[in-house]
Each structure stands twice: as structure tokens, then as C-alpha cells.
Amino acid sequence: MSEEQHNSQPLSKRASTLRIAVLMMPGQVPLDLVGPLQVLQCADRLSIDVEVCYVGPKTAMPWLGPLTLSGIDPLPEQLPPQHLLLIPGQYRNSVEPLAQQECVSWLKANACYADTLMTVCSGTLLLADAGLLEGRRCTTHHTLIEQLQAKAPKAKVQSDCIFIEDGRYLTSAGISTGIDTMLYWLTRACGHSLALAVAREMVLYLRRSGQEPQLGAWLEGRNHVDERLHRVQDAICAAPSQTWRIETLATQAAMSERHFRRRFKSLTGMLVGEYIMGLRLQRAKTLMTETTWTLARVAEASGFGDERQLRRIWARHEKVSPSVWRRASYQKLLD
């Protein structure tokens, strides 16, 4: 059985318990660890048994201010078979060279014992140091893309997605995207129903697709410090398909309609309507990638009202038709 065939089987059919190993390294970014682990904890509580072991070059390490993590097992000479090996990212100024090299050597010898290797943020750089990414599609945090390209010149580094899967490797952009990546893996491992239940319990109003740009529509126009506009933008992002009237948004921002329009354009670089349509278009793309819904249903769920309006907005931003774009997205996932 090939690596890809083995990896495509639902884990729930291969084992009743998910076995997860976490590589614990000095300088670890807290959310890179806690986000994915929260997904697994919810899954364990709701449905399937999850066993997590923590291994690393040190049995204890500083973690978050005065907090210290302990109970870490030494790196085993041979890692017992795992469904997933999780590699959180690190703050680059907190990396300890000797511990780092020990982890790189260990990965070279033990990566083969995990069905899937999942990295969060700079964790991808560790795979590159171990020589595991040659010819692979991969990603990392947008500020580390050039470093990843330098470390793995033969890898197919992508900067336009929040996570990407290539065979046994799941690499992600970092921080909150570790949650999205773990939900994706859980969907593949145990099915959509469990992943959806976990997302609901974690109050995630939208699970992002791996094809979504790291700095896409959800972050566009947010590079300002006006709390009132951020509050309005948060509300729109939470429900882009809702009917948003200028007077409602202006009231929420405690501004007159005229001042709200001018302020919004000045700080975001776009009109309010353009901002809302951009979010709806991104939502439509996500649904087109993750579902088999008709374009009419996608349009309705995205807030466009009907297929005709979606096609009209689509033509302003894309060079190919929705059907051509959708086929290309599916093919990209299969390649």
C-alpha cells in the first residue's frame, strides 16, 4: 500500500483510539500547541478516545511567563507508531541550537513512524532542516516564507494558503491556523460530523479552508486602530451573508452615516459595500471548495441572494468562470 493510499483511509476504521505525539521544543508558541490540542480534547470528550504523548529534548521547559511545562518524556530512540506527530512552532529568538539539532536528528530517524506529520508556523522549518520537504508542497507563517525557501530550495513553498497537505505532511501558517489544520485532519480521520460538533463546541463560526489566503479578505482593511470600525468589521465577518444596512452599521459605530462612510473608506481603503462583497466572495470560494453545492445554493449561503449576482461580482475579480475555478481548485487538492 502506498503512503498516499494508507493516509487516505479514515482512521476511525483503522483504530478505535487516536494516538498523537507532540514534539515539545524550547521557545514553543503557546497557541501553536493549545489550539490543536483543544480540538483533540473536544473530540475525546465528544466521541473518540485520544491518547497524547509529549516528547522532547528536555523534560521541562519555560513556556508562558512564570509558567513551566513539565512531564515531557525524553525523545524515544524509536517512536511508537502514531496516527499524528504534531510539531508546534517556536519563537525564533528563543530557539536553543543544541536542542534544535537534537530534534532535527530525531525527526530524520523517526518521521517514518507517524501516519501524518503536522506542523504549525515555524514547525515547518524543522521539517526543512531534517530534509523532509524536498519536492513537497508546504507553507509556513508569511513572515517565514523566504527562510523556508532557503532551507528547502527543492520544496514547493506556497504563501497563498493557511495550510496545505502533501502526502503525509500537513503544514500550516501558524497561530490560529493550527486549529483549522487540526479540524481538517480530524475530518479526514473521523468524519465531518465529529469535526462539526467540535467546531460548534469551540464556538468557531467559520472553519477556514486550506485554500484561503493567509492575508485574505478576512484580514484585508484591518490595518488601523479605530476600535469602532473594528467592532463593525467583526460583526460583518461573523455573519457576512446577513443583510447589512449602512444605517445599522453607522449606529453600531456611533457615527453619522456620512461620517461612517468617509471614515471607513479612509481607514480601510475601500467602500463599505466593497468590503462586504469581498467577504461574501471569499465565503463563496470556501463553500465551492469544501462542498458539492450548486452555485445557486452557494450564492444564497454567501449572501449574494442569487446565482446571477454572484456571477456578476465574480467576473469583477476572477478571470475564469466559477465552474472552471472550482475544477481547478479540486485538481489542486488532488495534485
Side-chain angles (χ1 to χ4, degrees), residues 228-229 245-267 270-272:
R228 295 176 297 174
L229 288 192
R245 300 186 181 281
I246 290 294
E247 55 266 31
T248 302
L249 297 175
T251 299
Q252 187 167 353
M255 301 179 187
S256 67
E257 291 183 30
R258 181 181 180 185
H259 181 57
F260 173 72
R261 290 177 188 271
R262 294 175 61 180
R263 183 73 172 164
F264 194 96
K265 177 65 165 61
S266 173
L267 295 183
M270 66 190 85
L271 300 173
V272 180

Side-chain angles (χ1 to χ4, degrees), residues 137-154:
R137 292 182 299 153
C138 56
T139 193
T140 187
H141 192 274
H142 60 91
T143 62
L144 301 174
I145 290 295
E146 291 185 1
Q147 288 187 46
L148 180 57
Q149 291 171 330
K151 286 176 176 289
K154 295 183 179 180

Side-chain angles (χ1 to χ4, degrees), residues 216-224 230 233 264 267-270 275:
W218 306 103
L219 293 181
E220 191 174 5
R222 301 302 294 260
N223 190 26
H224 61 82
H230 277 307
Q233 288 173 299
F264 194 96
L267 295 183
T268 68
M270 66 190 85
Y275 179 77

